[in-house]
Structures are given as structure tokens and as C-alpha cells.
């Protein structure tokens, strides 16, 4: 198996992390059991001393139509999925416009915008230990308990790409900060918004070192330039404590901390 040297301070969306040799998995490789799978590091906060890491290689970057189904490799970038759906007039993936990452990350987090989610049109997931239909996989708002490592997803083939819907969902992202971040830091608690709660406890714009809660959207932890892991963790813990102390609400982290 090949190794790829990755500088996570450049590769990850939040621009934090060390230089690490990551094992690249291609078809036919036996997945090492002591490695943690990463995708494009769009929702990852990686510590200075992470465990052994692996990623899927080019063999898992594909999208095709078979038997009136859409079959997508887990390493396929979201931009490629969107372009394919536009080209062949396929509905159900309008929400991926400007959504970073790959299908693997989308499956692992049931990614989406509002009620438009990955699992809505999912039929089954092929993993390294077998294929599982959607109904066998526990999932919900921004989470999916995948039985093992996703290699491929099969989706309903729905004719009709909705350009208006894609534009509407894209507009919802216009209030998100452009500074490096890992996306929404916390899941929205039932009936409320994590950003509102963080702002209500006085942390909107709060800065420690070169990390801060965005003054544009309080649920985004942003890197102002040269931010470090420890300062990011301090801000996360501070938000959790203040929100719990004031509202008795336990914020659930959406970022994956490694």
C-alpha cells in the first residue's frame, strides 16, 4: 500500500494539523485495522499526535448509472457528483452545491442542508465487510452509524435536476464565514440553534490565540491564520460549558476530533 505525506495545516479545511504519512487504500488492499479513515478532512480537527490514518484512493472515485440506479464511489468529490447530476438531469443531489468533501464523508455524517440529506435517496452502502441496505443503518440528523468503512453508495435514480432548489439551498450558505473552518462545530439541539446559543452566552467573536467563534455565524470555529489545536479545543469546551451552565443544554459536537 502506498503512503501519502499530508500537511494537515494546508490540507484540512480548518488548516490545523501536523504533517502525517497517510496510507492510501486502493481496490484489492486489505484495510489495516489499526488505522482511522479520513476523507478530504473537511470536518476534521486533527491533534498534533493523531493515530495512524488511511484514506481511499482513486479506485474509489467514480460515478455511474446502472440498472436505473446511481452508483458512487466513496472517494468521489461532491463537486463531481453535482456536475454529473446536472449533466444527466438527475435529481436528489441539489444540496451538494458548495458542500465540501467526498461521498464517504457525506455518508458518515448524513450530510445535507435542512431536510435535504444524503440518506433521503440512499438505497444501500457497500462496505469492506459487506453491503447494507439503508434500513439496516441507524441514521438521523447529521449522523449515520455505518457498520464499517463505506466504499460505495447506491442511490435512487430520479430524473429532473431542480436548478431552483439548488440555488435556494446555496443561498442558505451565504451567511457562512469564508475563513478556514471545519463547518458547523455543533449539531443544532432539538428546537433550537447552536449558533444562537453560543451567541446568547456571549461567545460570538470570542478569540483565543488565532482561533475564534466567527462574528458572522457563531457556530463556526474559524482559523484567523496560524491557529492551533489546543486553542480550538479550549473554545469548544468553553462553549459547551457556558451553554450548559446557562441553558442546561448539552451541545453535541459535529466536528470530528482526532
Amino acid at each position: 500500500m502506498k503512503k501519502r505525506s499530508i500537511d494537515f495545516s494546508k490540507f484540512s479545511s480548518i488548516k490545523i494539523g501536523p504533517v502525517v504519512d497517510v496510507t492510501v487504500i486502493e481496490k484489492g488492499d486489505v484495510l489495516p485495522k489499526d488505522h482511522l479513515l479520513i476523507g478530504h478532512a473537511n470536518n476534521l480537527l486533527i491533534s498534533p499526535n493523531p493515530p495512524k490514518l488511511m484514506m481511499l484512493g482513486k479506485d474509489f472515485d467514480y460515478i455511474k448509472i446502472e440498472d436505473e440506479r446511481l452508483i458512487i464511489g466513496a472517494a468521489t468529490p461532491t463537486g463531481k457528483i453535482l456536475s454529473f447530476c446536472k449533466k444527466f438531469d438527475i435529481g436528489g443531489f441539489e444540496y451538494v452545491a458548495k458542500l465540501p468533501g467526498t461521498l464517504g464523508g457525506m455518508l458518515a455524517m448524513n450530510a445535507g442542508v435542512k431536510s435535504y440529506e444524503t440518506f433521503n435517496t440512499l438505497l444501500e452502502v457497500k462496505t469492506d465487510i459487506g453491503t447494507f441496505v439503508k434500513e439496516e443503518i441507524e441514521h438521523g440528523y447529521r449522523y449515520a452509524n455505518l457498520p464499517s468503512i463505506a466504499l460505495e453508495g447506491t442511490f435512487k435514480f430520479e430524473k429532473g435536476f431542480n436548478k431552483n432548489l439548488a440555488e435556494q439551498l446555496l443561498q442558505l450558505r451565504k451567511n457562512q464565514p469564508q475563513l478556514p473552518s471545519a463547518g458547523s462545530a455543533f449539531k443544532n439541539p432539538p428546537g433550537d440553534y447552536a449558533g444562537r446559543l453560543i451567541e446568547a452566552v456571549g461567545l460570538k467573536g470570542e478569540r483565543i490565540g488565532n482561533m475564534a467563534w466567527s462574528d458572522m455565524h457563531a457556530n463556526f470555529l474559524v482559523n484567523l491564520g496560524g491557529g492551533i489545536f489546543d486553542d480550538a479545543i479550549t473554545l469548544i469546551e468553553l462553549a459547551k460549558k457556558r451553554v450548559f451552565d446557562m441553558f442546561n443544554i448539552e451541545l453535541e459536537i459535529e466536528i470530528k476530533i482526532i
Side-chain angles (χ1 to χ4, degrees), residues 6-205:
I6 293 180
D7 182 351
F8 282 95
S9 70
K10 296 177 181 176
F11 182 72
S12 70
S13 62
I14 200 169
K15 308 302 180 193
I16 290 176
V19 178
V20 179
D21 283 339
V22 178
T23 300
V24 180
I25 306 297
E26 301 290 6
K27 286 186 177 177
D29 290 340
V30 177
L31 274 65
K33 298 300 182 185
D34 60 343
H35 286 49
L36 188 67
L37 183 76
I38 63 163
H40 276 203
N42 286 291
N43 70 324
L44 299 184
L45 177 57
I46 297 183
S47 71
N49 297 295
K52 293 178 182 177
L53 302 174
M54 61 182 173
M55 66 193 306
L56 298 179
K58 292 180 180 178
D59 284 356
F60 298 95
D61 177 0
Y62 55 86
I63 180 167
K64 56 190 176 181
I65 301 167
E66 283 185 5
D67 301 323
E68 293 300 302
R69 292 178 166 196
L70 197 60
I71 299 172
I72 308 174
T76 308
T78 53
K80 187 173 182 177
I81 296 171
L82 184 68
S83 295
F84 188 93
C85 290
K86 283 181 176 179
K87 181 178 179 180
F88 293 99
D89 194 28
I90 300 168
F93 285 91
E94 290 86 356
Y95 65 91
V96 304
K98 298 294 184 184
L99 185 75
T102 59
L103 180 77
M106 289 168 60
L107 289 168
M109 294 195 66
N110 190 19
V113 181
K114 300 293 185 181
S115 63
Y116 300 92
E117 299 177 328
T118 305
F119 270 66
N120 288 3
T121 58
L122 179 70
L123 294 172
E124 61 186 30
V125 177
K126 181 180 178 181
T127 76
D128 60 310
I129 60 170
T131 300
F132 298 83
V133 297
K134 177 172 71 173
E135 290 73 21
E136 295 178 289
I137 303 169
E138 181 190 0
H139 64 277
Y141 172 68
R142 298 300 171 269
Y143 89 93
N145 187 15
L146 296 175
S148 192
I149 292 169
L151 304 177
E152 176 185 279
T154 299
F155 297 84
K156 295 175 188 174
F157 180 84
E158 298 180 350
K159 263 304 202 182
F161 184 85
N162 190 330
K163 292 180 181 179
N164 289 335
L165 176 60
E167 185 57 37
Q168 288 171 27
L169 297 177
L170 192 58
Q171 289 299 320
L172 293 175
R173 292 203 175 92
K174 291 292 176 69
N175 70 333
Q176 295 181 358
Q178 299 304 305
L179 288 166
S181 79
S184 298
F186 296 104
K187 298 177 184 180
N188 288 325
D192 211 331
Y193 296 95
R196 187 197 75 80
L197 293 168
I198 294 168
E199 185 171 350
V201 299
L203 288 178
K204 187 175 187 179

